[in-house]
């Protein structure tokens, strides 16, 4: 099955099993806006919870806030978003389709990267353990030729972006003979800048005085609260402030399902440090964050760092954590060293001091900031696309297929399914009594409809890690069967031991300790 087909299957699975629905569907939807269904909201909450625990609860020097979406519009002038938060757009004159010029170039570069990856794969298959990837990358003529092209394009692109040379970007697209991915046409307009912020009105009078912006990042709510939080939480630099919340961007080229949305959620943390120590902290948070990702147990080869060539207007170093989504390696999280840009600009524009008095140095300064910023919806897509598996099963000489979401158990929307083997003979009543007890400890589902095999498949499809089956023996020996989603193995345990056993299975404590 091609990656594209697999991705289509994941999208329909999300809809069929209550994970993600197109927004406003009965009115034909709204481009790049999605709603989360009953299972989706549980998974989303569990991801948020895991992030919050790992960032706020485990680190004594990180505290949380929840700032408002509406903010004084001067904030966006100070932060540079009014003037700089633009995407370079280009239209195809024949197809009338609009694209981000930088994305067209990045996708072109990705083709050379894919060629290199394919050559490496071939080498591995041919030479097995003898294959030295580093040496191959440094010497193979095909790889060197493709890498030289990548470097040349990236260098030209960086110069254009640094100088805001829109004509240069257009020339690069023309020189590389980049065609409209849909129509194949190379008939392009000029490139122009487009601001990504949505605006709205606060007062009833439609003039510029009441104009507000929907925040394009949660970070500014943290910056403007820096002193409030530092003083009330009695934190000393270095310390961090974390926040989870909605952000809005008028993404013109919205695509790839929930990967690029107009309304999405971010989980951000700004870590305030002494000037001059930011690179140390930048490396520290890069390592912490990649460990957090890898703790989920998905294939480690699907993650990589990508250092930014073009730095945002506020950063002196930046890297993305990229994940191998069904449509290739793409950013899921950014780690940015933002210098003292934001606090400095807010001091300037508000006229209020945003300084920290460092008792050890006996001086005041504007702290530098290292930020970690992850998109919750992208993380959701990462979890779902890594968990989705179609397995061929052999049983009693018959072949069957099961679709299973192998979501890490502590993130699964439904943790336990309580299933009486049959409805009669008092099994349903017994199972319901167990469900009534368990629902205070776990997110449980009770299901008595259809044959047990079909119910297992239904639970596999939504990713329930443990099915609890109550059978006739349960009536006599107060035991039941736990069926494990991934191995499909079954284990008999005492009803009295069930809660403790499941708490152990679903605990995140040991995972958090290893981060
Ligand atoms: N405060 C820094 C900041 O906002 P960013 O790289 O623009 O940095 C951070 O965004 C993360 O937010 C990205 O890594 C991505 O996961 C998520 N994100 C950004 N734009 C998004 C969009 N349109 N839809 C979904 N997620 C998005």
């Amino acid at each position: 099955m091609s990656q594209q087909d697999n991705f289509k299957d994941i999208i329909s699975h999300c809809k069929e099993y209550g994970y993600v629905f197109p927004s406003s569907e009965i009115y034909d939807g709204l481009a790049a806006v999605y709603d989360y269904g009953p299972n989706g909201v549980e998974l989303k909450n569990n991801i948020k919870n895991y992030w919050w625990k790992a960032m706020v609860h485990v680190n004594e020097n990180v505290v949380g806030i929840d700032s408002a979406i509406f903010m004084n519009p001067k904030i966006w002038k100070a932060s540079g978003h009014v003037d700089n938060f633009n995407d370079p757009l280009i239209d195809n004159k024949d197809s009338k389709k609009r694209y981000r010029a930088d994305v067209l170039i990045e996708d072109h570069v990705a083709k050379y990267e894919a060629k290199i990856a394919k050559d490496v794969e071939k080498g591995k298959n041919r030479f097995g353990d003898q294959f030295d990837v580093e040496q191959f990358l440094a010497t193979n003529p095909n790889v060197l030729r493709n890498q030289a092209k990548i470097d040349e394009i990236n260098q030209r692109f960086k110069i254009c972006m640094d100088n805001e040379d829109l004509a240069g970007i257009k020339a690069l697209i023309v020189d590389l003979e980049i065609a409209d991915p849909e129509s194949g046409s190379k008939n392009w307009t000029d490139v122009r800048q487009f601001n990504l912020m949505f605006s709205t009105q606060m007062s009833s009078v439609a003039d510029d005085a009441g104009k507000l912006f929907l925040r394009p990042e949660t970070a500014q709510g943290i910056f403007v609260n820096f002193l409030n939080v530092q003083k009330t939480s009695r934190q000393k630099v270095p310390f961090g402030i974390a926040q989870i919340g909605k952000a809005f961007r008028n993404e013109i080229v919205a695509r790839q399902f929930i990967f690029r949305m107009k309304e999405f959620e971010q989980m951000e943390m700004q870590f305030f440090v002494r000037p001059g120590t930011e690179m140390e902290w930048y490396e520290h948070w890069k390592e912490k964050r990649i460990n957090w990702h890898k703790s989920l147990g998905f294939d480690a080869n699907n993650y990589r760092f990508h250092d930014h060539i073009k730095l945002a207007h506020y950063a002196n170093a930046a890297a993305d954590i990229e994940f191998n989504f069904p449509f290739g390696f793409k950013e899921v999280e950014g780690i940015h060293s933002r210098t003292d840009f934001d606090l400095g600009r807010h001091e300037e524009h508000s006229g209020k001091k945003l300084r920290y008095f460092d008792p050890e140095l006996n001086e005041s300064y504007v702290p530098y900031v290292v930020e970690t910023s992850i998109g919750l919806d992208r993380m959701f897509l990462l979890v779902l696309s890594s968990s989705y598996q179609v397995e061929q099963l052999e049983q009693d000489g018959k072949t069957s297929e099961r679709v299973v979401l192998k979501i890490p158990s502590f993130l699964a929307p439904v943790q336990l399914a309580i299933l009486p083997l049959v409805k009669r003979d008092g099994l349903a009543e017994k199972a319901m009594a167990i469900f009534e007890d368990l629902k205070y400890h776990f997110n449980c589902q009770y299901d008595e409809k259809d044959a047990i095999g079909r119910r297992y498949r239904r639970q596999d499809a939504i990713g329930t890690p443990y099915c609890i089956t109550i059978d006739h023996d349960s009536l006599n020996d107060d035991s039941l069967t736990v069926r494990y989603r991934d191995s499909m193995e079954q284990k008999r345990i005492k009803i009295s031991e069930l809660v403790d056993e499941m708490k152990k299975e679903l605990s995140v404590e040991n995972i958090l300790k290893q981060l």
Side-chain angles (χ1 to χ4, degrees):
M1 185 191 290
S2 76
Q3 280 200 319
Q4 273 309 323
D5 288 342
N6 185 40
F7 188 38
K8 277 188 197 149
D9 289 348
I10 292 170
I11 296 172
S12 16
H13 193 87
C14 278
K15 177 147 189 256
E16 189 178 343
Y17 288 94
Y19 273 91
V20 183
F21 307 128
S23 166
S24 326
E25 197 184 8
I26 57 170
Y27 291 98
D28 299 331
L30 185 64
V33 185
Y34 290 90
D35 298 335
Y36 287 86
N39 287 321
V41 69
E42 294 288 344
L43 174 58
K44 222 176 158 195
N45 284 341
N46 293 344
I47 296 173
K48 282 192 217 181
N49 205 13
Y50 181 48
W51 183 86
W52 193 263
K53 278 199 161 101
M55 298 300 281
V56 181
H57 293 177
V58 166
N59 296 300
E60 311 84 276
N61 56 358
V62 178
V63 291
I65 63 163
D66 181 17
S67 69
I69 289 173
F70 289 149
M71 295 198 276
N72 190 308
K74 288 180 191 158
I75 287 173
W76 304 111
K77 185 70 188 162
S79 67
H81 284 83
V82 169
D83 297 320
N84 296 315
F85 197 54
N86 301 317
D87 272 349
L89 294 189
I90 191 165
D91 291 280
N92 188 280
K93 289 184 194 165
D94 297 326
S95 69
K96 312 280 182 239
K97 295 256 174 217
R98 184 162 289 173
Y99 295 93
R100 267 176 58 179
D102 55 333
V103 172
L104 285 178
I105 294 168
E106 276 166 22
D107 286 352
H108 190 79
V109 167
K111 286 184 191 155
Y112 291 112
E113 287 172 346
K115 282 185 191 169
I116 294 177
K118 206 167 163 190
D119 284 339
V120 169
E121 211 45 49
K122 269 196 219 156
K124 276 186 189 159
N125 290 341
R126 193 158 162 216
F127 300 109
D129 290 345
Q130 312 291 317
F131 186 64
D132 182 338
V133 179
E134 299 286 311
Q135 197 193 351
F136 182 77
L137 290 175
T139 55
N140 180 275
N142 277 345
V143 170
L144 292 178
R145 201 171 36 251
N146 286 322
Q147 189 58 49
K149 280 189 188 140
I150 294 173
D151 293 343
E152 187 195 324
I153 298 169
N154 280 343
Q155 199 195 6
R156 224 178 121 182
F157 178 50
K158 180 177 174 357
I159 293 170
C160 293
M161 292 297 272
D162 285 348
N163 297 321
E164 296 198 16
D165 175 5
L166 300 181
I169 297 174
K170 159 104 186 259
L172 185 54
I173 289 174
V174 172
D175 293 350
L176 294 173
E177 299 188 16
I178 295 177
D180 179 334
E182 287 197 16
S183 69
S185 156
K186 294 177 191 160
N187 192 7
W188 296 109
T189 61
D190 288 342
V191 177
R192 67 196 184 294
Q193 294 287 24
F194 179 85
N195 194 286
L196 292 179
M197 282 196 295
F198 283 103
S199 62
T200 185
Q201 288 293 131
M202 183 150 240
S203 64
S204 52
V205 188
D207 63 4
D208 260 10
K211 184 173 172 185
L212 291 186
F213 295 104
L214 296 189
R215 66 182 180 197
E217 61 171 11
T218 59
Q220 297 304 323
I222 292 179
F223 288 124
V224 297
N225 276 299
F226 158 68
L227 274 188
N228 282 339
V229 176
Q230 188 267 319
K231 286 185 179 148
T232 53
S233 59
R234 296 171 47 243
Q235 288 287 343
K236 292 195 175 83
V237 165
F239 79 99
I241 305 178
Q243 162 157 240
I244 299 176
K246 290 263 183 174
F248 305 84
R249 295 183 188 178
N250 196 0
E251 301 279 4
I252 292 305
V253 188
R255 54 181 183 171
Q256 288 151 341
F257 192 37
I258 55 172
F259 182 80
R260 197 178 299 287
M261 301 156 90
K262 296 195 184 212
E263 175 183 340
F264 57 100
E265 256 179 287
Q266 289 186 316
M267 306 191 286
E268 297 201 293
M269 195 271 308
Q270 322 301 130
F271 200 72
F272 299 88
V273 304
R274 251 184 215 168
T277 63
E278 71 273 15
M279 282 307 153
E280 242 168 76
W281 286 109
Y282 172 67
E283 293 303 331
H284 169 89
W285 283 109
K286 268 175 80 172
E287 195 188 330
K288 280 266 183 198
R289 293 305 305 149
I290 193 78
N291 288 346
W292 183 88
H293 283 279
K294 292 189 175 165
S295 70
L296 295 177
F298 299 128
D299 186 351
N301 294 317
N302 284 336
Y303 299 88
R304 70 181 186 194
F305 277 112
H306 167 77
D307 293 320
H308 283 203
I309 327 170
K310 155 100 178 101
L311 291 173
H313 57 276
Y314 47 72
N316 67 357
D320 295 336
I321 294 177
E322 291 190 338
F323 182 76
N324 194 7
F325 286 99
F327 36 85
F329 273 98
K330 295 276 174 199
E331 170 187 352
V332 61
E333 171 158 7
I335 295 110
H336 311 126
S337 171
R338 285 179 84 131
T339 68
D340 57 354
F341 175 85
D342 301 87
L343 289 181
R345 294 276 293 190
H346 288 306
E347 264 205 340
E348 213 180 283
H349 283 245
S350 68
K352 309 276 175 3
K353 289 261 172 274
L354 290 173
R355 281 158 197 257
Y356 169 75
F357 178 75
D358 192 325
E360 282 174 34
L361 299 179
N362 200 25
E363 66 177 63
S364 294
Y365 52 76
V366 176
Y368 272 44
V369 170
V370 174
E371 135 182 292
T372 71
S373 174
I374 173 170
L376 175 56
D377 312 85
R378 282 192 195 177
M379 193 56 213
F380 182 104
L381 183 57
L382 184 161
V383 171
L384 264 184
S385 55
S386 308
S387 304
Y388 179 88
Q389 290 183 22
V390 182
E391 291 181 344
Q392 304 299 326
L393 306 175
E394 292 286 336
Q395 206 186 8
D396 306 330
K398 283 192 198 144
T399 314
S400 63
E401 196 177 82
R402 77 161 178 161
V403 177
V404 53
L405 292 183
K406 293 190 172 175
I407 300 174
S409 48
F410 64 94
L411 294 182
V414 177
Q415 297 167 314
L416 308 182
I418 319 300
L419 316 172
L421 187 62
V422 288
K423 272 192 260 181
R424 55 175 197 278
D425 306 333
L427 294 189
E429 290 74 9
K430 178 93 180 168
M432 187 46 96
I434 293 172
F435 169 76
E436 284 297 332
D437 179 35
L438 290 177
K439 73 180 183 187
Y440 295 101
H441 300 277
F442 311 102
N443 190 18
C444 301
Q445 213 172 65
Y446 175 84
D447 188 4
E448 58 178 29
K449 193 169 177 290
D450 299 323
I452 192 74
R454 286 188 71 174
R455 280 182 274 163
Y456 285 153
R457 290 290 172 278
R458 247 188 334 253
Q459 295 299 332
D460 287 344
I462 63 168
T464 308
Y466 310 104
C467 286
I468 310 294
T469 311
I470 290 85
D471 57 19
H472 290 94
D473 289 342
S474 309
L475 299 175
N476 304 319
D477 64 3
D478 269 336
S479 65
L480 39 71
T481 304
V482 180
R483 182 246 193 201
Y484 294 80
R485 176 196 65 199
D486 297 352
S487 62
M488 292 188 291
E489 275 168 14
Q490 304 198 0
K491 188 170 118 182
R492 199 81 192 160
I493 71 167
K494 286 272 169 218
I495 295 175
S496 55
E497 292 163 8
L498 184 63
V499 170
D500 285 347
E501 185 74 17
M502 289 296 105
K503 279 192 174 160
K504 245 188 267 160
E505 292 274 0
L506 290 159
S507 155
V508 284
E509 202 180 295
N510 288 334
I511 301 171
L512 286 167
K513 278 183 185 159
Q514 281 165 24
L515 287 178

